């Protein structure tokens, strides 16, 4: 069974949302220090990152119910 485009994109977005949550919850100072100019325009926000993860999981659940992933 091969991977579909939707499945690949969802896994990439899931990986991104998980990495954002790990960085913002456990390493916020590293983010601000490493990306000084970028963090001025996109500050580390726990609420935003958690909401992002919830939305990605919700889309994954919908794709799972449609038998597109796994």
């Amino acid at each position: 069974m091969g991977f579909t485009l939707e499945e690949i994109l969802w896994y990439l977005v899931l990986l991104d949302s998980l990495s954002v949550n790990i960085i913002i919850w456990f390493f916020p100072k590293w983010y601000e220090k490493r990306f000084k100019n970028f963090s001025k325009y996109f500050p580390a926000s726990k609420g935003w990152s958690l909401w992002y993860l919830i939305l990605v999981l919700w889309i994954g659940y919908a794709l799972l119910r449609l038998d597109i992933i796994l």
Side-chain angles (χ1 to χ4, degrees):
M1 182 175 139
F3 290 105
T4 63
L5 178 63
E6 294 87 0
E7 191 174 5
I8 293 169
L9 290 176
W10 184 78
Y11 282 123
L12 289 174
V13 172
L14 178 65
L15 181 65
D16 179 56
S17 67
L18 289 173
S19 63
V20 164
N21 273 283
I22 289 170
I23 289 171
I24 288 179
W25 285 92
F26 298 110
F27 307 107
K29 297 294 181 191
W30 173 84
Y31 170 75
E32 292 171 1
K33 183 179 174 184
R34 178 77 169 94
F35 302 103
K36 289 181 183 178
N37 292 332
F38 192 74
S39 66
K40 290 178 188 175
Y41 299 107
F42 297 100
S45 171
K46 292 179 181 176
W48 172 85
S49 66
L50 186 61
W51 185 244
Y52 179 39
L53 180 62
I54 290 169
L55 287 175
V56 169
L57 292 175
W58 179 58
I59 291 170
Y61 178 68
L63 291 173
L64 181 65
R65 289 190 54 162
L66 293 171
D67 290 329
I68 294 176
I69 60 174
L70 285 183

